[in-house]
Amino acid sequence: MSLEAIRRRFRNDFAYYAPRALKIVNETGQLVPFVLNKAQLLGHGLIEKQLKTKGYVRANVLKPRKLGFSTYTEGRYYWKTSHNTGMGAMIMTEADQSRDSLFRMVKTYHENMPDLLRPETLQSNEKALVFDNARGTGLKSRYDVKTCDSKGGKGITTHFNHWSECAYFSKSSLDNLSGLMESIPSRYPQILKTEVIKESTANGASGHFYDEWTETEDALRDGRVPEYINIFIPWTFDDGYSIPCTVEQEAYILNTLTDEEKWLLRFVNPDGTKVTVGNIAWRRWKIGRIIAPHGYTKEDFFKQWFPVTSEEAFVYSGTSIFSVSDVKMAELECYNPIDRGSFNYFGKFVSNDEGALKIWQRPRLGESYVIGADVAEGIQTEDRDYSSADVINCRTGQQVAHVHCKLDPDRFGEFLNFLGRYYNDALMGVEANNHGWAVLTTLKHKNYRRLYQRETLDANANNRKVKKVGWLTTSKSKYKIIDGLVAIIRDHDSGIVCLETLSEFKDYSILEDGSYGAVPGRHDDRVMSYAIAYEMYIGAPRNRSSQESRQRKGLGGLNLKEAIILNR
């Protein structure tokens, strides 16, 4: 291969360039070639694919600790700026210590670069490298590392941005960085080949990084093409997170598996490989040596730093109400609906791939059902909340149908009227708060007979007990029914078969004011509709022979058995 061919390959192929040109200091303090590990190769492939298809890179990278993605990104941007004219790289960190650490890494790259590849250097200090010479005939490129509270971005042009551990950037820092984002060309063709990589471990289910991540996930779910790609790397993908086991040790581990460990052994890594017993051994070893902070168990703290899914990463670094591992076990019981559709003008079910109603079990003769409904609040706009409803079989306790839609309250009431009649005149529990009254009014006008009624004290009638239609959500009633859902999810006895329902359980948290609800930017309508439906199920008459355990658990409701009556 000619010298020019070698130069060309170094310039165009980072995976070839890195182990031959870059040096890093490994965990034992040795200076060694930078050979990309599996996680780095995975991220590199996805980033190069986006660069090829889109022409530029915008990536969110969510990772466990110590997988080396900062090492990869700094090496990539050193490669970019040292091989191209007039390029600027800006690395932003959350603290001075992190800034100094990353820049030492870059200086190590530069100082140990082969003479053939090292660019002329006009400036080299503790914060920047400038690739140029005194005559101004060099590359005129530069590499800067700053903390996120620096006033950067105004009056400059950057082409490669790396936000390191950006989930920990403060709000004021993010305001400063808005100027930095504007330093990146946004007009074609200048935008081409620019890169923004936002990389971090998780810091709770809120904040800028979480919002960016969920925005991409929502776009993919809705069939839209997102601006950013999401790259998640599970800890199980790193070969170093495994301990060799003897036959006896492996047998002991397999005989003492927890539910979480059983789930892990079914988990498939991004390259198609399975989690090994050696991974389980390392996990047990690591958890045993963790000193967990106040409010965390050792296992919870492990999951914060070493997640195996993106949901686990965000939830275990936040204040989720439902255990992620329990929700994951519940997901194993989910399966695709057998039909989907809506009701026509005459109340007949019609199959339709875009219909709001998903069906796992059609109504059966002689079976009784209950329905819980949560009605969307707020102005009826495109970005309003959804209305949601769940149907539960009273004999089996299984979720048999689910509705998720954006309908005006009266139209939602008409839909529920047809749904209830379709499922053998199911007992209907509709949330009475806010727009729920419009739904209940529609159901009454449609002469729907089986509406849930609650007992309450009437101050205008000497505090006598009276019956009122609809489920009333108060702080007290919400805590009770949600705490009950926690119990049945924990005991693997929820009856939920809809994956979308369980996805909202992951975002349901204790909020800053101490109340229960979805984290900002997410929804909890499916959580509430299922909670109300399950409350109807607990109090509804049914064949108890097959569901004794569920009835004993209950959801701690408000005298539901006595409160449910039929409107006659």
Side-chain angles (χ1 to χ4, degrees):
M1 186 182 294
S2 68
L3 182 61
E4 180 54 34
I6 294 173
R7 285 181 180 273
R8 187 164 52 249
R9 186 164 186 187
F10 273 120
R11 184 168 56 248
N12 297 327
D13 186 348
F14 181 71
Y16 179 83
Y17 165 89
R20 294 165 177 82
L22 299 178
K23 294 289 196 299
I24 60 172
V25 178
N26 66 17
E27 291 182 340
T28 65
Q30 296 174 306
L31 188 68
V32 297
F34 178 22
V35 179
L36 272 64
N37 62 32
K38 285 171 56 178
Q40 292 161 340
L41 284 170
L42 171 67
H44 175 66
L46 294 172
I47 286 171
E48 286 295 306
K49 180 180 179 181
Q50 188 192 35
L51 181 61
K52 184 177 180 180
T53 56
K54 189 184 283 285
Y56 56 91
V57 171
R58 300 291 183 270
N60 300 310
V61 181
L62 175 63
K63 60 183 182 53
R65 290 176 60 84
K66 301 294 185 182
L67 282 193
F69 214 85
S70 289
T71 305
Y72 164 79
T73 308
E74 306 333 330
R76 179 182 181 87
Y77 287 177
Y78 179 88
W79 171 61
K80 293 273 186 179
T81 52
S82 65
H83 279 84
N84 295 281
T85 302
M87 295 288 104
M90 183 69 73
I91 314 303
M92 308 302 293
T93 69
E94 85 282 7
D96 290 346
Q97 184 176 1
S98 301
R99 177 200 63 199
D100 296 343
S101 175
L102 289 184
F103 201 73
R104 281 196 301 272
M105 182 190 302
V106 178
K107 291 289 286 289
T108 300
Y109 292 152
H110 187 63
E111 292 168 357
N112 294 278
M113 180 62 50
D115 292 340
L116 176 69
L117 299 172
R118 184 189 296 112
E120 290 185 284
T121 307
L122 179 65
Q123 179 182 335
S124 176
N125 56 33
E126 294 306 312
K127 297 181 181 178
L129 285 171
V130 178
F131 302 135
D132 203 353
N133 56 41
R135 302 182 305 279
T137 59
L139 288 175
K140 298 183 179 64
S141 293
R142 63 180 295 136
Y143 193 115
D144 291 271
V145 182
K146 296 184 178 182
T147 58
C148 59
D149 57 2
S150 303
K151 300 281 186 179
K154 293 184 179 179
I156 66 171
T157 299
T158 63
H159 305 86
F160 312 116
N161 274 215
H162 175 209
W163 295 17
S164 178
E165 293 298 342
C166 60
Y168 296 86
F169 289 4
S170 67
K171 186 178 184 303
S172 60
S173 297
L174 291 169
D175 291 340
N176 291 334
L177 293 179
S178 61
L180 178 61
M181 291 301 292
E182 291 305 314
S183 74
I184 303 169
S186 56
R187 296 182 301 168
Y188 282 90
Q190 291 89 340
I191 191 175
L192 298 180
K193 298 186 179 180
T194 63
E195 299 189 6
V196 178
I197 296 176
K198 298 180 179 180
E199 160 265 321
S200 190
T201 49
N203 185 28
S206 62
H208 170 81
F209 185 65
Y210 174 78
D211 292 343
E212 289 268 8
W213 185 274
T214 53
E215 184 177 319
T216 296
E217 294 296 297
D218 289 344
L220 292 171
R221 192 177 299 113
D222 296 340
R224 295 179 282 116
V225 178
E227 175 70 357
Y228 280 72
I229 58 170
N230 282 349
I231 300 173
F232 173 73
I233 305 170
W235 69 265
T236 54
F237 196 56
D238 190 308
D239 290 333
Y241 294 146
S242 178
I243 295 177
C245 296
T246 64
V247 174
E248 292 78 11
Q249 290 169 333
E250 184 169 321
Y252 173 77
I253 290 173
L254 291 174
N255 287 328
T256 57
L257 291 172
T258 66
D259 286 342
E260 174 74 12
E261 291 168 342
K262 291 175 183 176
W263 181 88
L264 273 173
L265 287 176
R266 301 182 190 180
F267 181 76
V268 179
N269 286 311
D271 62 350
T273 59
K274 293 285 190 73
V275 172
T276 66
V277 174
N279 292 134
I280 301 297
W282 178 86
R283 181 179 182 273
R284 290 185 178 186
W285 173 85
K286 184 67 177 178
I287 289 174
R289 283 153 182 78
I290 283 175
I291 301 175
H294 179 71
Y296 283 86
T297 66
K298 287 187 174 187
E299 186 167 289
D300 287 349
F301 195 59
F302 172 87
K303 290 175 180 177
Q304 175 174 341
W305 293 115
F306 297 95
V308 76
T309 66
S310 59
E311 295 89 351
E312 186 173 272
F314 286 118
V315 173
Y316 270 101
S317 56
T319 52
S320 176
I321 289 174
F322 296 97
S323 162
V324 175
S325 58
D326 291 339
V327 174
K328 287 191 300 187
M329 293 298 293
E331 286 177 335
L332 297 176
E333 304 300 320
C334 294
Y335 57 96
N336 292 328
I338 61 172
D339 206 347
R340 181 172 183 171
S342 188
F343 297 101
N344 65 16
Y345 181 80
F346 302 101
K348 181 179 179 181
F349 175 77
V350 178
S351 296
N352 181 344
D353 289 342
E354 302 299 321
L357 174 62
K358 294 181 179 180
I359 293 177
W360 283 263
Q361 182 188 105
R362 294 183 178 87
R364 295 176 178 176
L365 185 65
E367 297 276 29
S368 59
Y369 300 90
V370 293
I371 297 174
D374 178 73
V375 184
E377 297 183 12
I379 300 173
Q380 302 299 294
T381 59
E382 184 60 30
D383 60 350
R384 69 185 185 269
D385 288 339
Y386 289 85
S387 289
S388 178
D390 286 290
V391 185
I392 294 179
N393 182 311
C394 288
R395 180 177 59 83
T396 65
Q398 294 293 303
Q399 180 187 33
V400 297
H402 174 66
V403 178
H404 201 240
C405 59
K406 290 185 177 181
L407 290 175
D408 291 332
D410 58 331
R411 296 285 306 280
F412 188 49
E414 293 172 358
F415 196 105
L416 290 179
N417 172 55
F418 290 141
L419 180 66
R421 295 178 189 279
Y422 182 66
Y423 276 97
N424 301 346
D425 294 325
L427 177 65
M428 183 85 67
V430 178
E431 188 180 30
N433 305 55
N434 301 312
H435 295 291
W437 281 112
V439 174
L440 289 166
T441 299
T442 299
L443 286 166
K444 289 179 181 178
H445 288 166
K446 296 293 182 181
N447 295 316
Y448 194 84
R449 294 168 57 88
R450 300 197 68 208
L451 292 175
Y452 162 74
Q453 293 188 352
R454 68 188 185 279
E455 281 188 349
T456 187
L457 299 178
D458 189 347
N460 297 321
N462 296 322
N463 286 330
R464 286 189 307 167
K465 289 184 178 181
V466 296
K467 306 289 186 182
K468 291 189 176 182
V469 174
W471 168 267
L472 185 65
T473 300
T474 64
S475 58
K476 181 179 179 181
S477 64
K478 179 185 281 190
Y479 290 148
K480 286 186 174 181
I481 62 175
I482 295 302
D483 288 349
L485 285 189
V486 171
I488 60 173
I489 289 290
R490 181 195 63 222
D491 296 341
H492 314 310
D493 199 21
S494 69
I496 297 173
V497 295
C498 174
L499 271 174
E500 289 87 352
T501 296
L502 289 172
S503 71
E504 289 194 3
F505 279 54
K506 299 172 185 176
D507 291 321
Y508 202 76
S509 299
I510 302 174
L511 305 179
E512 289 184 359
D513 61 0
S515 63
Y516 287 180
V519 296
R522 311 303 290 171
H523 299 283
D524 61 6
D525 38 88
R526 288 183 168 109
V527 176
M528 291 308 300
S529 67
Y530 194 78
I532 295 170
Y534 207 90
E535 193 75 351
M536 299 303 103
Y537 162 75
I538 290 300
R542 61 194 179 279
N543 181 351
R544 296 172 177 266
S545 61
S546 64
Q547 292 296 319
E548 287 294 335
S549 63
R550 289 181 184 229
Q551 295 167 47
R552 283 196 295 270
K553 290 171 197 165
L555 291 183
L558 306 177
N559 296 317
L560 285 166
K561 184 177 179 181
E562 293 77 18
I564 295 173
I565 65 171
L566 303 183
N567 290 338
R568 301 188 184 278

